[in-house]
Amino acid sequence: IQEPQLQGQDTGMQCEDDRTGIGVETLKRAFLDNLFYVQGKFPALATKHDYYMALAYTVRDRLLQRWVNTAAIYTQQGSRTVAYLSAEFLMGPHLGNNLINLGIYNQVQQAMTELKLDLKELLAKEEEPGLGNGGLGRLAACYLDSLASLEIPTLGYGIRYEFGIFDQLIRNGWQVEKTDKWLRYGNPWEIARPEWAVSVKFGGRTEAHKNAQGRYRVRWIPHKVVLGIPYDTPILGYKVNTANTLRLWKAEAPESFDFEAFNRGNYYGAVDQKVTSENLTKVLYPNDETYEGKQLRLEQQYFFVSCALQDMLRIMLRQKLPLEQFHEKFAVQLNDTHPAIAVAELMRLLLDEHDMDWEPAWEITQKTFGYTNHTLLPEALEKWSLKLFSSLLPRHLEIIYEINWRFLEQVRHKFGTDEGRIGRLSLIDENDGKFVRMAHLACVGSHKINGVAALHSELLQKTTLLDFYEFFPEKFTNITNGVTPRRWIVLSNPKLTNLITSCIGDNWIKHLEDVQRIETYAEDPGFQQEWQQIKRENKVNVAEILLDRTGVKVDPDSLFDIQVKRIHQYKRQHLNILHAITLYNQIKQNPNLDITPRTLIFAGKAAPGYYIAKLIIKLINSVAEVVNKDPDIGDRLKVVFLPDYNVKNSQPIYPAADLSEQISTAGKEASGTGNMKFAMNGALTIGTLDGTNIEIRNAVGAENFFLFGLTTEDVGALRLTGYRPREYYKENPQLKQAIDQIASGYFSHGDRSLFKPLVDLLLDKDPFMLMADYQPYIDCQQQVSQTYRDRDRWLQMSILNTARMGKFSSDRAIREYCQQIWKVQPVPVQLAAEKTGDG
Ligand code: CGF
């Protein structure tokens, strides 16, 4: 490998290279050059989007040098590499993050100002790649940031969906979905690598044949073949030279134009194959906690996994590494079960395509994979009908049967013929039809299995994966989730960043545990004053956004009480709305009531087919309509639903929150990561003992956290003794009034039928126990209101929350993955200019 000769790094030099220099003058020149040569515009004709593109290319130039160097060093050193397989990567806009990680935010801001442009406006022009539903995809994005920042060689592998998560509009209070067209104006951050395309087979049949040594092997004769084209995006670490790669795969037809069909006069048929092949990566399934047993989804999963593993094998061959060392070269992480088919695919590649025997292939496979489970919800545990599976992946089904047979033999050996246990552990579910259980495949094929929070990992071992835990306890571990402080503090909350840095320096951005040092200022009146001022400015900013997007005017001095996340019954946005109705009724009953003014802010998308979740959105908007225009209420209570929650829109939200709502039914939220983003930005949490709420509470101190509600044990016990939600309703006049109002059409212009499904569900079944948690929640909210009135106390609590969130950096989580699961070391990257020291 010839390393590129790089020039012009040093800003102190007389003349910087236009592609790498970071002085203000150089940046301006490079920007105008890109506007001209890439966008083909001069300033008089340029649109804001042209300016955004010119700036993006200017920044990309500065990444490329690091990216090329990183790849060169990894190749030279044959570095052990993490391959993070995820069907979702919710990256958010790249530009701002790259400016932070390159350390050139201020210079670029100045350069833009000098060119009479507003950097904020240009940042807003970026169409975000919404290639994920929520927590799981965003976690993958935070982990890529940390992996690069910790200088760990990494490849992120996923799908380049043409249409990501839908855009959400609110019409008449209802969610309306609009196709997301993020690629419409081009994507300056990616580079296509058609030279590394791979073929992926589907369907057909298998047949036996003998290899050169006379051993039986299997050949797969597919029904169709699709091409996978990789698109690479550089992922730069924070203030390091490491730029790793996110490699997303697009499906294409091997021959996009069928001349035979064309010659036969079948004009439409001539492009048929192209259309069906490309459909594969057209659209992201917009469900976060349920799977649909749809063929296209299984095709997507197999497609990207096969592309990824073939790509890894190509890298091994290029680096002249023997395939027996696959597990030494790559640590492959399965982000949930979506990529679990990788276990069977790696086996197939090693057995059928590389002529390996079963035992060594199986040893390599098990040593290669780690599996992260993200949910206990039964509806999220993927299983595929045998019929579908065998028609699409006939060879994989044979391999899975063989894995299962061998595995169940071991189970019999250890536990004897306990048929119940064998049935529960089997990779094939035979209870009600026959299905392949993907979580089981992932467990058997991996050397480590982790949950994403202490409670979640414990529950996995005690419930969902109990049988596996009893069989191989040593495989199980916990790695509590984390989020990157670069995006979620530095980029989102620059004012708070400056305040913290002015007190303790900027080391905390790389080592978030260091932020603890601001604890000494928690009672300092000057610091508190500045802290409050920043929070207020962030709230004013959100108030402007709310006015602009919803037309609702809110008071920045009211308590900003925020719940932003996917809309789901277990997350209980409707419990929050019951509190809003209760406050409303209290004021109506006593118009002079001196209550702590609150603004309740909601945002989040509902899966398009999830009727009750959509009805919850409608309920929030309906309550908002009544509350916000009632003159008796005034500024004491406002309810707002901010449409189209995504990474970009969420960034101003966390810094503006006083109160973070984390109110899921205990035992249902695996981890949560929004809870971390809020607390890092100084919001106090009202929450149940669920997911990482427990660990956040332990870290910030019980006295700085508003706890309420049933515990996981309480939930289980109550369910066992017979839960009767209607009793709570009958016995609690406030609750009864709120429910009756919803049922009677008070919030729906007299329409009694609109919310009936929701009301009936709550009174008859209430699967997420809102009725039982209602009063403790209301009482706890009362305590919140009281505490908010004690300004000094609140500020101290807020500062302590930020100060004690060090553990929840994704850097900590990634260090744990590296030590416990991946056994991988940092590989620092030096730029050629730095090495020679000659600039
Ligand atoms: O993964 C989730 C989220 N919905 O994406 N799960 N899934 N699937 C969990 O529900 C969250 O609790 C968790 O924080 C997130 C990332 O692990």
Side-chain angles (χ1 to χ4, degrees):
I1 304 276
Q2 266 261 290
E3 273 184 37
Q5 284 308 304
L6 303 162
Q7 318 148 5
Q9 250 311 102
D10 185 355
T11 46
M13 285 176 35
Q14 284 296 309
C15 180
E16 291 186 321
D17 185 304
D18 268 10
R19 286 262 156 89
T20 57
I22 54 171
V24 173
E25 284 309 314
T26 316
L27 288 167
K28 279 160 61 182
R29 208 168 48 237
F31 171 80
L32 292 172
D33 242 29
N34 279 325
L35 186 67
F36 190 86
Y37 288 109
V38 181
Q39 289 305 101
K41 292 271 181 82
F42 52 89
L45 276 190
T47 63
K48 285 272 152 58
H49 186 262
D50 290 320
Y51 286 129
Y52 158 73
M53 291 295 269
L55 183 55
Y57 281 111
T58 306
V59 173
R60 196 183 90 169
D61 284 343
R62 279 140 189 85
L63 293 181
L64 279 177
Q65 153 202 52
R66 287 165 170 79
W67 201 18
V68 170
N69 265 273
T70 303
I73 284 168
Y74 293 170
T75 307
Q76 275 165 10
Q77 302 193 0
S79 315
R80 177 163 169 77
T81 300
V82 173
Y84 199 84
L85 265 56
S86 180
E88 302 187 7
F89 284 94
L90 192 49
M91 300 303 291
H94 289 286
L95 177 56
N97 199 242
N98 282 329
L99 292 178
I100 299 287
N101 284 8
L102 274 167
I104 60 169
Y105 195 99
N106 293 339
Q107 293 94 304
V108 167
Q109 188 159 38
Q110 193 185 331
M112 293 302 107
T113 310
E114 288 180 19
L115 290 169
K116 309 245 170 322
L117 291 167
D118 179 357
L119 175 59
K120 269 208 181 134
E121 262 181 40
L122 303 191
L123 289 170
K125 279 285 150 200
E126 181 167 350
E127 292 258 9
E128 92 172 55
L131 309 186
N133 274 285
L136 174 138
R138 184 53 231 175
L139 186 80
C142 284
Y143 282 180
L144 290 189
D145 180 86
S146 286
L147 280 156
S149 299
L150 294 170
E151 305 177 300
I152 304 293
T154 304
L155 276 158
Y157 283 111
I159 301 175
R160 183 179 177 275
Y161 301 103
E162 189 178 331
F163 305 120
I165 186 74
F166 61 88
D167 293 336
Q168 181 194 55
L169 305 175
I170 300 295
R171 292 273 177 269
N172 189 27
W174 291 98
Q175 166 175 298
V176 173
E177 299 93 23
K178 214 180 107 213
T179 313
D180 148 76
K181 299 199 181 102
W182 71 288
L183 288 169
R184 183 171 25 182
Y185 300 113
N187 171 10
W189 304 105
E190 67 183 6
I191 296 184
R193 308 283 193 198
E195 66 276 24
W196 294 332
V198 298
S199 299
V200 181
K201 302 184 223 180
F202 289 96
R205 62 188 173 82
T206 62
E207 66 181 23
H209 68 104
K210 279 187 182 173
N211 71 2
Q213 289 74 40
R215 297 201 188 168
Y216 274 109
R217 289 290 183 250
V218 178
R219 188 182 290 135
W220 177 13
I221 297 127
H223 166 69
K224 82 169 175 193
V225 175
V226 174
L227 267 195
I229 313 288
Y231 284 71
D232 287 359
T233 302
I235 306 294
L236 182 69
Y238 176 70
K239 291 195 179 166
V240 289
N241 295 319
T242 299
N244 286 325
T245 297
L246 170 61
R247 182 161 292 167
L248 301 179
W249 299 86
K250 173 177 192 267
E252 280 189 9
E255 196 63 68
S256 54
F257 192 84
D258 182 346
F259 272 99
E260 260 181 51
F262 185 73
N263 290 338
R264 286 195 307 271
N266 181 0
Y267 302 110
Y268 290 110
V271 289
D272 236 22
Q273 215 201 344
K274 176 174 161 59
V275 173
T276 46
S277 300
E278 292 184 0
N279 275 346
L280 210 87
T281 50
K282 267 272 175 270
V283 61
L284 166 80
Y285 274 88
N287 300 321
D288 68 336
E289 298 275 7
T290 41
Y291 81 97
E292 293 174 276
K294 291 275 165 64
Q295 172 163 346
L296 183 61
R297 180 67 171 157
L298 180 57
E299 286 180 353
Q300 288 184 337
Q301 296 183 352
Y302 175 62
F303 168 75
F304 96 89
V305 158
S306 178
C307 290
L309 287 169
Q310 292 188 60
D311 195 56
M312 289 178 233
L313 288 169
R314 175 187 62 78
I315 292 170
M316 294 216 50
L317 296 176
R318 194 188 62 196
Q319 295 186 6
K320 300 203 168 44
L321 297 167
L323 294 189
E324 287 70 25
Q325 289 175 16
F326 189 87
H327 58 288
E328 289 166 24
K329 171 70 185 168
F330 288 107
V332 182
Q333 194 65 23
L334 305 174
N335 194 25
D336 216 327
T337 54
H338 316 142
I341 187 63
V343 172
E345 173 66 354
L346 182 57
M347 283 300 285
R348 185 191 72 80
L349 289 165
L350 296 177
L351 296 170
D352 300 358
E353 313 242 327
H354 295 278
D355 208 21
M356 217 179 256
D357 288 333
W358 184 278
E359 283 76 15
W362 183 240
E363 197 182 325
I364 291 169
T365 298
Q366 278 189 312
K367 285 182 174 169
T368 295
F369 292 109
Y371 160 50
T372 305
N373 174 291
H374 291 267
T375 182
L376 300 162
L377 298 187
E379 62 268 33
L381 294 178
E382 292 186 302
K383 50 183 196 174
W384 300 103
S385 80
L386 284 197
K387 191 162 169 270
L388 170 62
F389 207 96
S390 59
S391 72
L392 216 57
L393 302 171
R395 177 60 182 137
H396 296 78
L397 190 58
E398 291 172 2
I399 291 172
I400 287 171
Y401 281 149
E402 180 74 20
I403 295 173
N404 198 31
W405 183 80
R406 289 171 184 247
F407 169 59
L408 294 180
E409 275 303 296
Q410 292 175 352
V411 174
R412 285 193 186 94
H413 189 72
K414 183 160 177 173
F415 292 113
T417 38
D418 173 349
E419 287 309 321
R421 184 188 294 268
I422 288 168
R424 292 195 304 273
L425 280 168
S426 173
L427 305 196
I428 309 297
D429 178 350
E430 303 193 35
N431 290 325
D432 189 12
K434 290 194 176 184
F435 297 91
V436 182
R437 294 161 158 164
M438 299 312 276
H440 293 213
L441 179 62
C443 285
V444 175
S446 302
H447 64 283
K448 281 277 179 216
I449 301 162
N450 73 286
V452 288
L455 174 71
H456 171 233
S457 295
E458 186 192 320
L459 293 175
L460 266 184
Q461 293 168 22
K462 285 189 178 156
T463 61
T464 316
L465 298 179
L466 167 68
D467 291 301
F468 286 97
Y469 180 65
E470 286 178 351
F471 186 67
F472 31 53
E474 69 289 348
K475 278 197 190 185
F476 282 77
T477 186
N478 171 59
I479 301 198
T480 297
N481 283 344
V483 300
T484 169
R486 270 74 66 181
R487 184 175 291 272
W488 298 113
I489 307 179
V490 181
L491 183 60
S492 306
N493 201 345
K495 290 175 181 155
L496 194 74
T497 301
N498 289 340
L499 175 62
I500 297 173
T501 301
S502 70
C503 293
I504 62 168
D506 68 0
N507 201 38
W508 62 275
I509 299 172
K510 245 191 139 56
H511 299 278
L512 195 63
E513 316 78 57
D514 250 45
V515 82
Q516 179 130 33
R517 291 171 53 207
I518 64 166
E519 263 199 38
T520 46
Y521 301 89
E523 288 171 64
D524 176 321
F527 188 81
Q528 283 193 347
Q529 177 61 36
E530 285 187 70
W531 193 268
Q532 183 181 31
Q533 182 59 25
I534 289 167
K535 182 64 82 183
R536 190 170 192 287
E537 286 169 21
N538 291 335
K539 287 166 74 176
V540 168
N541 181 35
V542 164
E544 283 165 7
I545 293 172
L546 292 176
L547 184 61
D548 181 46
R549 306 231 178 109
T550 69
V552 180
K553 193 163 173 291
V554 305
D555 174 9
D557 290 317
S558 62
L559 189 163
F560 273 25
D561 172 349
I562 309 189
Q563 187 171 22
V564 289
K565 48 181 80 238
R566 286 297 285 245
I567 311 293
H568 210 294
Q569 289 178 85
Y570 84 80
K571 295 180 189 277
R572 304 200 293 191
Q573 281 90 353
H574 42 344
L575 179 59
N576 191 346
I577 258 317
L578 287 176
H579 175 236
I581 298 173
T582 306
L583 287 179
Y584 169 80
N585 288 336
Q586 285 170 359
I587 302 173
K588 290 296 276 184
Q589 276 145 27
N590 179 2
N592 297 321
L593 190 70
D594 176 24
I595 70 156
T596 306
R598 286 204 193 215
T599 299
L600 265 64
I601 301 170
F602 294 85
K605 293 175 184 174
Y610 187 175
Y611 180 68
I612 291 289
K614 291 176 122 174
L615 197 55
I616 291 174
I617 295 181
K618 174 68 177 167
L619 177 63
I620 296 169
N621 284 309
S622 303
V623 171
E625 197 190 323
V626 171
V627 169
N628 296 347
K629 69 173 184 217
D630 190 324
D632 292 347
I633 303 297
D635 267 355
R636 281 177 291 179
L637 179 64
K638 283 272 162 17
V639 179
V640 199
F641 188 95
L642 177 69
D644 204 29
Y645 186 67
N646 58 19
V647 176
K648 197 202 292 194
N649 290 336
S650 77
Q651 283 175 195
I653 299 286
Y654 297 106
D658 294 308
L659 187 67
S660 151
E661 297 273 350
Q662 307 301 334
I663 58 176
S664 51
T665 318
K668 298 292 178 196
E669 187 71 271
S671 158
T673 42
N675 48 3
M676 302 171 189
K677 296 166 197 167
F678 277 116
M680 280 179 187
N681 284 283
L684 307 191
T685 306
I686 181 164
T688 48
L689 283 179
D690 200 16
T692 38
N693 289 353
I694 300 173
E695 288 158 81
I696 290 176
R697 179 167 172 266
N698 288 341
V700 303
E703 67 287 7
N704 299 310
F705 187 105
F706 296 101
L707 178 71
F708 77 97
L710 301 169
T711 63
T712 309
E713 291 77 37
D714 297 337
V715 168
L718 193 51
R719 191 127 14 245
L720 273 181
T721 52
Y723 176 53
R724 281 178 295 279
R726 202 176 280 273
E727 301 292 306
Y728 295 86
Y729 156 84
K730 280 192 204 149
E731 281 160 24
N732 187 326
Q734 286 195 108
L735 173 59
K736 184 166 186 311
Q737 185 186 7
I739 297 276
D740 288 348
Q741 282 169 318
I742 299 173
S744 69
Y746 189 93
F747 299 108
S748 46
H749 305 278
D751 182 347
R752 293 166 163 266
S753 61
L754 181 60
F755 296 118
K756 191 170 183 326
L758 192 55
V759 170
D760 289 350
L761 190 61
L762 288 177
L763 294 182
D764 296 333
K765 298 206 177 79
D766 191 16
F768 299 100
M769 297 192 169
L770 279 79
M771 300 296 105
D773 268 344
Y774 170 81
Q775 196 55 49
Y777 179 57
I778 300 294
D779 295 343
C780 192
Q781 287 285 21
Q782 181 59 31
Q783 218 186 310
V784 170
S785 291
Q786 287 294 328
T787 314
Y788 193 69
R789 287 167 171 245
D790 181 348
R791 173 193 171 275
D792 294 357
R793 171 82 189 109
W794 187 277
L795 283 169
Q796 185 200 6
M797 289 167 81
S798 165
I799 296 165
L800 290 179
N801 262 265
T802 301
R804 295 175 180 176
M805 285 299 289
K807 167 176 167 186
F808 301 95
S809 166
S810 44
D811 297 345
R812 185 270 314 148
I814 285 301
R815 274 196 204 96
E816 290 180 8
Y817 276 99
C818 288
Q819 284 155 15
Q820 291 183 40
I821 301 183
W822 301 331
K823 315 279 181 212
V824 57
Q825 301 293 331
V827 175
V829 174
Q830 282 191 331
L831 297 183
E834 287 175 347
K835 271 192 265 177
T836 55
D838 62 6

